[in-house]
């Protein structure tokens, strides 16, 4: 099985794209709703919670896990891959949603030797809307800068937006919040529209229309779920040992939560696009 992990429910937008594009793969989803949102926690705590969640998915039989949480990926995925995984589970792998976005923006494969040459495309500006922790980590700025220094990256934190989405706030409330964050971004840019926008939180695709409405016409909006799905398909081609397909459509994904399974299941349909019944799993 392939595990998909998020701090809460937003990762279901990624799972939906994965299941649609890779119908032969068997997926299991884990939401750490007991500790959500991660954006208000300290980096070390985010890392430890991520390790605990990955360990649980390994315990459910997953050999490959997709960290579908930008905050978790930005604050500790590299450390998890380089230190914890080799010493605890050397035969398993963990990947995240941040890498595919960096590759899509820069056109440079993640494993490319960036010391021997950098991508030199047309100068452009990419804007990122994300949680406060993802912005503070600087992960997008750092990794894009290594590979494509001609790309200017401007970040805008969106405090409380995840909470509003999780609470199913009225559209008028969400629209006001998105307009406020879009206005702050445009102020940073001196009124000049960015060439492209990344919705750097898995919750945000649910209100992508509000972002498009709040931004100037013609700004390209990159879909993180779709890009992640394409990236996973390419990864499985390179690493067939993690491919769970057997030539037939896989059964529906299983869903687990560290929180209240009933409440999470009721909310999940909005994110997954169809009923998603969660099972409880003990929290670390």
């Amino acid at each position: 099985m392939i595990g998909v992990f998020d701090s809460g429910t937003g990762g279901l937008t990624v799972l939906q794209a994965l299941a649609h594009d890779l119908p032969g793969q068997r997926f299991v989803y884990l939401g750490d709703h007991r500790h959500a949102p991660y954006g208000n926690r300290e980096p070390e705590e985010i890392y430890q919670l991520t390790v605990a969640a990955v360990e649980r998915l390994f315990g459910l039989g997953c050999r490959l896990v997709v960290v579908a949480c930008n905050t978790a990926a930005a604050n500790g995925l590299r450390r998890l891959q380089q230190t914890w995984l080799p010493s605890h589970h050397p035969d398993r792998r963990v990947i995240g949603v941040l890498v595919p976005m960096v590759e899509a923006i820069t056109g440079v494969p993640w494993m490319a030797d960036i010391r021997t040459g950098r991508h030199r495309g047309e100068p452009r500006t990419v804007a990122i809307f994300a949680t406060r922790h993802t912005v503070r980590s600087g992960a997008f700025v750092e990794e894009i800068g290594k590979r494509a220094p001609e790309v200017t990256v401007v970040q805008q934190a969106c405090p409380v937006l995840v909470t509003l989405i999780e609470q199913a706030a009225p559209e008028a409330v969400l629209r006001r919040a998105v307009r406020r964050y879009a206005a702050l971004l445009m102020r940073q840019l001196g009124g000049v529209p960015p060439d492209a926008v990344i919705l750097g939180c898995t919750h945000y695709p649910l209100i992508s229309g509000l972002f498009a409405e709040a931004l100037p016409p013609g700004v390209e909006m990159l879909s993180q779920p779709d890009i992640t799905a394409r990236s996973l398909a390419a990864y499985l081609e390179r690493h067939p040992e993690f491919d769970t397909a057997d030539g037939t459509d896989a059964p529906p994904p299983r869903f687990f939560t560290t929180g209240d399974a009933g409440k999470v299941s009721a909310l999940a349909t909005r994110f997954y696009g169809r009923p998603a019944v969660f099972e409880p799993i003990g929290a670390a």
Side-chain angles (χ1 to χ4, degrees):
M1 289 187 293
I2 298 174
V4 179
F5 160 66
D6 185 59
S7 59
T9 314
L12 290 172
T13 62
V14 174
L15 177 62
Q16 183 183 42
L18 298 180
H20 178 271
D21 287 12
L22 301 165
Q25 303 297 328
R26 298 175 61 206
F27 292 102
V28 58
Y29 182 90
L30 171 60
D32 187 16
H33 295 88
R34 177 180 174 182
H35 298 107
Y38 280 10
N40 299 323
R41 297 183 179 275
E42 293 301 313
E44 181 60 26
E45 185 179 13
I46 294 170
Y47 173 75
Q48 295 298 336
L49 289 170
T50 302
V51 168
V54 170
E55 187 74 80
R56 290 187 179 282
L57 284 167
F58 285 164
L60 290 170
C62 300
R63 297 185 60 243
L64 172 67
V65 171
V66 179
V67 176
C69 174
N70 286 276
T71 300
N75 281 276
L77 181 57
R78 187 187 292 275
R79 174 183 168 191
L80 184 151
Q81 292 170 327
Q82 294 179 347
T83 61
W84 179 79
L85 201 61
S87 61
H88 291 77
H89 300 282
D91 61 333
R92 305 191 185 193
R93 297 292 181 270
V94 182
I95 58 179
V97 290
L98 188 146
V99 169
M101 297 305 294
V102 171
E103 291 180 329
I105 293 164
T106 64
V108 179
W110 189 259
M111 299 307 295
D113 188 350
I114 58 177
R115 296 169 300 177
T116 60
R118 292 179 173 182
H119 178 71
R120 290 292 178 181
E122 290 295 323
R124 60 185 183 135
T125 299
V126 174
I128 299 171
F129 291 102
T131 66
R132 184 182 287 112
H133 250 306
T134 298
V135 168
R136 285 178 178 171
S137 76
F140 276 109
V141 176
E142 178 182 357
E143 299 300 344
I144 291 171
K146 288 178 183 177
R147 292 158 176 78
E150 75 281 3
V151 175
T152 299
V153 182
V154 179
Q155 301 185 100
Q156 177 58 53
C158 303
V160 313
L161 194 53
V162 166
T163 300
L164 290 176
I165 295 171
E166 289 269 2
Q167 294 176 346
E171 185 172 288
V173 174
L174 290 166
R175 178 176 284 109
R176 283 196 299 271
V178 171
R179 284 181 174 174
R180 181 169 67 253
Y181 298 136
L184 290 171
L185 173 74
M186 293 305 297
R187 187 180 304 168
Q188 289 191 67
L189 292 169
V192 179
D195 297 294
V197 162
I198 298 171
L199 301 184
C201 172
T202 52
H203 285 68
Y204 299 173
L206 287 178
I207 55 172
S208 59
L210 296 182
F211 278 98
E213 176 186 299
L215 292 165
V219 176
E220 178 186 12
M221 192 168 299
L222 301 176
S223 169
Q224 192 168 46
D226 292 343
I227 290 172
T228 301
R230 292 198 297 270
S231 179
L232 179 59
Y235 183 90
L236 293 174
E237 287 184 5
R238 299 194 304 270
H239 302 280
E241 65 271 26
F242 298 110
D243 192 328
T244 66
D246 61 5
T248 62
D249 283 356
R254 293 184 68 186
F255 304 91
F256 293 91
T257 177
T258 59
D260 184 315
K263 290 182 180 178
V264 172
S265 298
L267 175 66
T269 301
R270 292 181 55 238
F271 290 80
Y272 193 55
R274 67 193 70 176
V277 179
F278 278 72
E279 304 172 49
I281 191 170

